[in-house]
Amino acid sequence: MEVDGACLAEVGNKVMCVDVDPAKIELLNSGGVPIYEPGLTEMVRRNREAGRLLFTTDAKEGVNFGTIQFIAVGTPPDEDGSADLQYVLAVAESIAQHMTDFKIVVDKSTVPVGTGDKVAERIRQTLAKRGADLEFDVVSNPEFLKEGAAIGDFMKPDRIVVGTENPRSIEVMRELYAPFNRNHERLLFMDIRSAELTKYAANAMLATKISFMNELSNLAEILGADIEQVRIGIGSDPRIGFQFIYPGCGYGGSCFPKDVQALEKTALGVGYSPQLLTAVEAVNNRQKEVLFSKISQHFGGNVAGKTVALWGLAFKPNTDDMRAASSRTLMEALWEAGAKVRAFDPIAHEEAQRIYGDRDDLHICANADEALDGADVLAVVTEWIEFRSPDFADIRDKLKSPAIFDGRNLYDPQAVNRAGLAHYSIGRQPTQPN
Ligand SMILES: NC(=O)c1ccc[n+]([C@@H]2O[C@H](COP(=O)([O-])OP(=O)(O)OC[C@H]3O[C@@H](n4cnc5c(N)ncnc54)[C@H](O)[C@@H]3O)[C@@H](O)[C@H]2O)c1
């Protein structure tokens, strides 16, 4: 919400953001921003000071503020993995309770196909209860921004998908997005169901690429091949390309895991067995365990009493988001097996503290060096830029059992070995010091 609101205000719109969380609104109104996103704090401040960006907990005030009502609330997985629509439908209801004239209700949350109909139905029912005869249109406008690069993605989108066949809404949406559409046509109008499915299709495709490479990397290890050479070998084919084919210790975050799962549930709900999606998720869940098994094997199957230095807690660089992060799977497996963790992340340290609180087997460190103090081995889980070129000799001197578990294939195994450290990575043979 914060990114969309700030970017729409940045081009001159007046925007009011509504949230039910009073602490979040209070923070935003006092100049803070609840998430880490490069450039966001300054953008929010600039637009707040210009009077174009307002924050409130008052739904009525928000509904009366504008013709366009974006729904951008969470759609977390419910117990069976389907997208939980309660927050989306609660907003639809608030809009219908308070509206006094025509509204375009734009769904930006990632929602299953058919949600547009459910939102329209909830608005109709609520209006009927009020005895109010008011016009509205429901539009799907899925969000494609990437955390960590969200502002750039919003300001210069690859495409803007808008699901509506209503000529009035098409005109309003075209006008709203005109400032982001100057260089070439990026607006793609389609029917609402296709727009809803486009979002899931995009995330499922990206997740599939990652799981494909992870599957191949496990196979490469068994077959004695080097996945990094295979990656370059296939990426150079323009039909495949180099993007999103990095092997690693699994994908996480607030989108891929939940969206793949939700699409799978949508398919099952209409009697279709989505075999590929099920495999993409299963491969990823297994991949998140790979670092722990490598560490455990290194110690002959017993990590009890060991201390692991862990670099990178966020699910990817440039964010503090730890939802479904691979670091969590690793830490929790280590704790379960009786090991301790000394963790460092440039941004997500507070988030880790919030999630795990104080516990004896987790020490959150102030910098990467401190995480090495007293540790047996080092695991690198997130590819933050500051982890790319460390002083390997220094790492060797600090670790009791000098070995790096490189969950993102950041390092040249030979350079690590030359410094006197063992190197374990993804899809390659482990290599030992010369
Ligand atoms: N985070 C991303 O990078 C990203 C990218 C693309 C799409 N999306 C989609 O956007 C949606 C939002 O994601 P997020 O990460 O911002 O979620 P989030 O959980 O961080 O934030 C959701 C906010 O909605 C508020 N909320 C809940 N019910 C409300 C109500 N009735 N009225 C007003 N506010 C209410 C919550 O208090 C919370 O602050 C999801 O559907 C997600 O899949 C997110």
Side-chain angles (χ1 to χ4, degrees):
M1 168 189 80
E2 299 87 353
V3 173
D4 294 351
C7 290
L8 287 169
E10 180 79 356
V11 296
N13 293 297
K14 282 205 164 149
V15 182
M16 180 174 280
C17 299
V18 184
D19 201 295
V20 288
D21 181 348
K24 204 175 224 186
I25 294 300
E26 200 180 316
L27 178 67
L28 285 157
N29 274 330
S30 62
V33 171
I35 52 168
Y36 173 79
E37 185 60 47
L40 186 60
T41 306
E42 304 78 61
M43 192 185 256
V44 168
R45 183 187 43 74
R46 210 167 38 242
N47 286 286
R48 263 187 64 245
E49 285 173 7
R52 287 190 298 265
L53 186 57
L54 306 160
F55 298 99
T56 182
T57 52
D58 185 341
K60 187 174 179 187
E61 199 185 0
V63 174
N64 290 327
F65 190 78
T67 301
I68 310 176
Q69 299 282 315
F70 277 103
I71 303 181
V73 294
T75 44
D78 68 13
E79 288 109 59
D80 77 346
S82 314
D84 183 349
L85 290 180
Q86 62 167 308
Y87 308 103
V88 169
L89 294 175
V91 177
E93 196 164 321
S94 295
I95 295 170
Q97 257 158 12
H98 299 300
M99 65 193 267
T100 53
D101 55 6
F102 174 70
K103 298 290 177 202
I104 299 179
V105 179
V106 185
D107 199 346
K108 250 204 175 302
S109 299
T110 301
V111 290
V113 175
T115 301
D117 296 338
K118 289 186 180 159
V119 166
E121 185 52 30
R122 182 62 69 94
I123 296 174
R124 256 193 301 275
Q125 282 170 357
T126 313
L127 286 174
K129 269 191 223 151
R130 279 177 57 198
D133 182 19
L134 296 167
E135 271 187 78
F136 66 92
D137 186 36
V138 177
V139 171
S140 165
N141 173 215
E143 182 52 73
F144 292 98
L145 58 77
K146 300 183 284 294
E147 284 180 36
I151 289 180
D153 286 348
F154 195 100
M155 300 304 281
K156 289 194 174 140
D158 296 324
R159 78 304 211 184
I160 303 161
V161 170
V162 180
T164 178
E165 285 161 305
N166 179 324
R168 188 169 174 186
S169 298
I170 290 177
E171 200 185 313
V172 172
M173 296 303 280
R174 186 173 280 292
E175 200 182 321
L176 179 72
Y177 281 116
F180 311 98
N181 196 36
R182 281 168 58 82
N183 182 267
H184 64 271
E185 182 61 89
R186 288 157 166 130
L187 273 158
L188 302 175
F189 288 99
M190 56 181 77
D191 67 85
I192 193 162
R193 286 182 169 248
S194 302
E196 289 168 338
L197 187 55
T198 298
K199 174 63 193 176
Y200 282 103
N203 276 357
M205 170 61 101
L206 295 170
T208 302
K209 287 182 94 172
I210 298 173
S211 277
F212 174 83
M213 281 311 279
N214 286 337
E215 179 109 295
L216 266 282
S217 67
N218 295 333
L219 200 51
E221 278 180 34
I222 299 166
L223 297 174
D226 176 343
I227 195 68
E228 286 302 327
Q229 294 190 35
V230 175
R231 180 177 69 77
I232 293 162
I234 62 169
S236 47
D237 181 336
R239 292 170 304 176
I240 297 174
F242 285 108
Q243 291 207 351
F244 253 78
I245 57 166
Y246 289 104
C249 52
Y251 62 74
S254 70
C255 291
F256 290 179
K258 91 169 165 60
D259 292 349
V260 170
Q261 229 185 357
L263 184 56
E264 198 185 339
K265 293 296 170 195
T266 296
L268 290 170
V270 292
Y272 181 80
S273 164
Q275 295 175 14
L276 184 57
L277 298 175
T278 306
V280 166
E281 195 197 345
V283 167
N284 191 56
N285 290 340
R286 187 174 61 184
Q287 197 65 15
K288 284 173 154 181
E289 292 166 8
V290 156
L291 277 184
F292 174 75
S293 14
K294 286 176 193 280
I295 295 172
S296 175
Q297 268 174 34
H298 174 81
F299 288 115
N302 183 10
V303 298
K306 302 294 178 195
T307 298
V308 174
L310 190 149
W311 285 0
L313 291 161
F315 86 92
K316 68 173 182 180
N318 296 322
T319 178
D320 61 352
D321 199 338
M322 284 182 63
R323 287 178 277 185
S326 301
S327 64
R328 294 175 68 168
T329 311
L330 174 58
M331 287 195 290
E332 287 164 21
L334 287 166
W335 294 333
E336 179 76 27
K340 292 188 172 182
V341 174
R342 293 179 64 80
F344 168 70
D345 188 284
I347 297 290
H349 49 283
E350 283 176 14
E351 181 62 1
Q353 189 72 55
R354 188 190 67 78
I355 295 169
Y356 292 113
D358 289 328
R359 43 187 301 160
D360 292 344
D361 46 12
L362 173 64
H363 185 83
I364 297 170
C365 301
N367 55 56
D369 277 351
E370 197 189 305
L372 302 167
D373 290 340
D376 291 278
V377 295
L378 167 65
V380 183
V381 182
T382 316
E383 63 275 35
W384 282 97
I385 198 131
E386 68 173 86
F387 300 152
R388 298 261 170 113
S389 195
D391 183 339
F392 293 124
D394 193 45
I395 297 175
R396 179 208 55 221
D397 289 347
K398 286 193 160 154
L399 295 178
K400 291 186 211 152
S401 171
I404 298 182
F405 294 84
D406 180 356
R408 301 289 172 192
N409 287 1
L410 293 185
Y411 308 129
D412 171 8
Q414 288 178 4
V416 175
N417 294 155
R418 271 197 303 275
L421 291 139
H423 183 253
Y424 297 83
S425 57
I426 308 292
R428 295 182 291 190
Q429 306 308 308
T431 55
Q432 300 301 325
N434 317 359

